[in-house]
Amino acid sequence: MQKYFLAVDIGASSGRHILGSLENGKIVLEEVYRFWNDMEKIDGSLCWDVERLFREIVMGMKKCAEIGKIPESIGVDTWGVDFVLLDEKDQILGKAVGYRDHRTDGMDEEVYKIISEEELYGRTGIQKAIYNTIYQLMAVKKQTPELMDQAAAMLMMPDYFHFRLCGNKVQEYSEATSSQLLDPEARDWDYELIERLGYNKKMFQKIHMPGSVVGTLTEEVQKLVGYSCEVIVPPTHDTASAVMAIPTNEADVCYISSGTWSLMGVERVEPDCSKASMKANFTNEGGYNGRITYLTNIMGLWMIQSVRGELAPEMSYGELCALAAKETIQTTVECQDDSFLSPDSMVEAIKAYCRKRGQIVPESLGELAAVVYNSLAKCYAEKLQEIEKLTGKTYDRIHIIGGGSNAGYLNELTAKFTGVPVYAGPGEATAIGSILAQMIEKGVFENLAQARACVAQSFDIQIYE
């Protein structure tokens, strides 16, 4: 009898339910449900509608029953850093504020009054981003202290959805590392740091490693979806799940998990919390088997997504790439500039950046796309040099995984700017990684090496040189 495993992959703009199974020695994927996602303005704050998202999770699970493909297990992954606070009755306290909200403005300075930025990096190995959980919690402490006092649990987004599915409150390792509150050596919460910051210590739950069975569907959820299955936490931070799906077992592989964000890095056994690593803005996030996904966070396709949304929402990304490829404009921008994080208009942000620096200003859609794609490729090349310097190793290829691996023009530019071949695919890397974690736990694969070998056999990998 065919066994199915369900990945619920929720990104910052959409979510999807993907069933995975093994047929004739190859992994087969089937998308059974898709839904939109976005932050909403509620009382002046940018928030996630977690109740609607949970209803969407249930709807997709019901679809599995409707098509007669009942999963053995389910796992949810999302973006990092965001969380909900629960009271003693498991009700959400306040709002599920998103990472693009401005409540964290100035919260870094509040944190640094207690611990220096350098010491913080040395303790956690996580690069500074103003939206990290550590700064969001400082915003809660300063702006709504009563919520932190009342909190019985703090659950990262995927942990909250797993709790709603099985009734157990756990926090998964890879997602927890994005909080900037984890000890990367111990792979556990840095409780001394948490106490120094004045955060409610009791709200932090036990850390579980990816691949852990954390329960079965509650009776309530079983009635809603029409079946029962296990809840297995994958690497719940979408980047960590995507890295699981790299289609090679070769050592010293450089990867780019390409989507709304571009996460570029390498896998390590131990973290690098050195001053040099901090200066280069690299981070030590968690991965499968307690590995470290040592990477840097680049603005990524968020910029092109925003330009498309403003000027040509009906145009496909393939058409955008084709337009960009015809342009000769040489202007590039610094993708990491804060002006591109959450502008009212990405088009105007790009133009203003160029005007300010005396560069040729892109005017047409094709020129804007060309500037974004060339800027990303240039950034990738610069980061590759930094990775090689930090690790003392050279990398003869880059594996691009995730939805952005389908951007052929960007892949060509990346190979051109970096001077090394680009291996693009699989596109559904995050969902595949989630499915692999479930399959390994259920004995379909013996280990990650066997699972990755199967990925290489199951999906087409495009090479750009």
Side-chain angles (χ1 to χ4, degrees):
M1 185 176 176
Q2 189 71 281
K3 293 184 177 181
Y4 299 95
F5 304 87
L6 180 60
V8 182
D9 174 25
I10 308 178
S13 58
S14 68
R16 52 208 154 275
H17 290 59
I18 296 181
L19 282 170
S21 59
L22 198 63
E23 297 179 15
N24 300 317
K26 292 185 177 182
I27 299 167
V28 176
L29 304 179
E30 179 181 356
E31 182 180 302
V32 296
Y33 189 68
R34 181 177 285 263
F35 54 94
W36 67 271
N37 188 28
D38 200 2
M39 298 181 205
E40 303 174 15
K41 262 286 177 63
I42 302 176
D43 298 328
S45 299
L46 282 171
C47 303
W48 301 107
D49 187 346
V50 292
E51 290 305 313
R52 183 187 66 79
L53 289 176
F54 185 69
R55 291 196 297 272
E56 297 286 13
I57 291 173
V58 170
M59 284 295 295
M61 294 172 70
K62 290 171 68 174
K63 288 289 183 182
C64 295
E66 289 172 9
I67 63 175
K69 297 180 179 180
I70 307 298
E72 301 281 312
S73 60
I74 180 175
V76 181
D77 68 80
T78 74
W79 62 97
V81 308
D82 288 345
F83 59 89
V84 296
L85 298 178
L86 302 181
D87 64 16
E88 294 286 353
K89 296 181 179 180
D90 297 330
Q91 299 301 304
I92 292 179
L93 290 163
K95 301 184 286 286
V97 181
Y99 63 88
R100 292 194 192 278
D101 186 77
H102 288 283
R103 69 172 174 171
T104 54
D105 291 352
M107 291 302 112
D108 50 347
E109 294 305 319
E110 294 297 328
V111 168
Y112 301 150
K113 290 177 183 177
I114 300 167
I115 180 172
S116 70
E117 186 175 359
E118 187 172 292
E119 183 188 353
L120 181 60
Y121 187 88
R123 291 185 75 111
T124 67
I126 299 298
Q127 72 179 123
K128 177 188 174 180
I130 194 60
Y131 45 74
N132 283 354
T133 313
I134 188 173
Y135 306 115
Q136 293 198 47
L137 285 173
M138 183 57 73
V140 174
K141 177 186 171 184
K142 291 291 182 180
Q143 298 163 13
T144 52
E146 69 281 2
L147 298 184
M148 183 169 287
D149 292 340
Q150 296 168 26
M154 186 277 285
L155 294 178
M156 307 297 276
M157 284 297 178
D159 301 321
Y160 175 70
F161 294 132
H162 287 137
F163 162 63
R164 292 289 300 273
L165 288 170
C166 71
N168 295 324
K169 300 187 191 76
V170 303
Q171 289 180 295
E172 184 274 325
Y173 166 64
S174 71
E175 185 81 4
T177 60
S178 74
S179 70
Q180 206 174 353
L181 289 165
L182 211 79
D183 179 336
E185 297 284 354
R187 272 70 167 176
D188 199 0
W189 296 114
D190 187 335
Y191 286 107
E192 180 184 335
L193 172 62
I194 289 167
E195 287 183 329
R196 283 174 63 182
L197 292 167
Y199 298 164
N200 182 348
K201 184 179 176 180
K202 70 178 183 180
M203 67 186 182
F204 293 86
Q205 310 298 303
K206 183 180 178 181
I207 299 290
H208 281 62
M209 283 294 165
S212 301
V213 178
V214 296
T216 56
L217 300 183
T218 65
E219 290 186 7
E220 179 184 0
V221 174
Q222 289 180 40
K223 290 178 181 177
L224 290 172
V225 302
Y227 58 86
S228 181
C229 68
E230 287 186 320
V231 177
I232 299 177
V233 290
T236 59
H237 189 192
D238 49 12
T239 304
S241 265
V243 170
M244 271 196 81
I246 295 173
T248 180
N249 283 305
E250 291 188 20
D252 301 329
V253 170
C254 181
Y255 61 81
I256 300 172
S257 178
S258 180
T260 300
W261 296 92
S262 288
L263 297 309
M264 184 173 185
V266 295
E267 282 188 296
R268 300 178 68 117
V269 176
E270 297 297 334
D272 178 356
C273 302
S274 66
K275 291 181 181 179
S277 180
M278 174 186 170
K279 186 177 180 180
N281 214 25
F282 274 71
T283 196
N284 296 268
E285 295 181 350
Y288 188 74
N289 278 345
R291 298 181 186 204
I292 301 296
T293 54
Y294 185 65
L295 54 84
T296 188
N297 198 343
I298 303 167
M299 197 70 72
L301 296 178
W302 160 247
M303 296 179 70
I304 198 67
Q305 290 168 351
S306 299
V307 169
R308 173 180 173 268
E310 286 184 56
L311 301 182
E314 302 303 319
M315 183 176 287
S316 72
Y317 288 109
E319 291 172 319
L320 262 181
C321 281
L323 275 181
K326 296 176 182 177
E327 301 294 342
T328 57
I329 188 170
Q330 298 298 307
T331 298
T332 59
V333 300
E334 173 51 62
C335 297
Q336 299 298 80
D337 193 86
D338 288 344
S339 63
F340 302 128
L341 177 60
S342 187
D344 292 331
S345 167
M346 184 64 74
V347 171
E348 289 306 315
I350 293 170
K351 290 182 177 182
Y353 182 98
C354 296
R355 288 192 200 100
K356 187 176 180 180
R357 288 155 182 80
Q359 296 175 288
I360 295 174
V361 178
E363 297 296 342
S364 69
L365 176 59
E367 286 182 338
L368 284 159
V371 167
V372 172
Y373 286 130
N374 277 277
S375 299
L376 278 173
K378 179 174 178 284
C379 185
Y380 295 159
E382 293 167 350
K383 295 302 180 183
L384 178 60
Q385 292 178 357
E386 289 184 344
I387 291 169
E388 292 182 336
K389 183 177 179 180
L390 287 166
T391 61
K393 299 175 181 178
T394 57
Y395 300 89
D396 62 1
R397 69 172 72 175
I398 296 173
H399 280 271
I400 298 183
I401 52 180
S405 66
N406 297 316
Y409 179 57
L410 178 57
N411 296 336
E412 292 175 11
L413 289 174
T414 302
K416 173 186 172 183
F417 275 82
T418 62
V420 298
V422 166
Y423 290 68
E428 290 288 0
T430 300
I432 293 169
S434 174
I435 290 164
L436 294 182
Q438 296 176 56
M439 285 181 162
I440 293 170
E441 168 58 29
K442 300 297 286 185
V444 176
F445 298 117
E446 293 182 8
N447 49 41
L448 179 57
Q450 190 180 81
R452 279 179 167 167
C454 189
V455 172
Q457 294 294 320
S458 302
F459 302 96
D460 291 332
I461 309 300
Q462 300 294 318
I463 302 175
Y464 299 82
E465 295 182 290

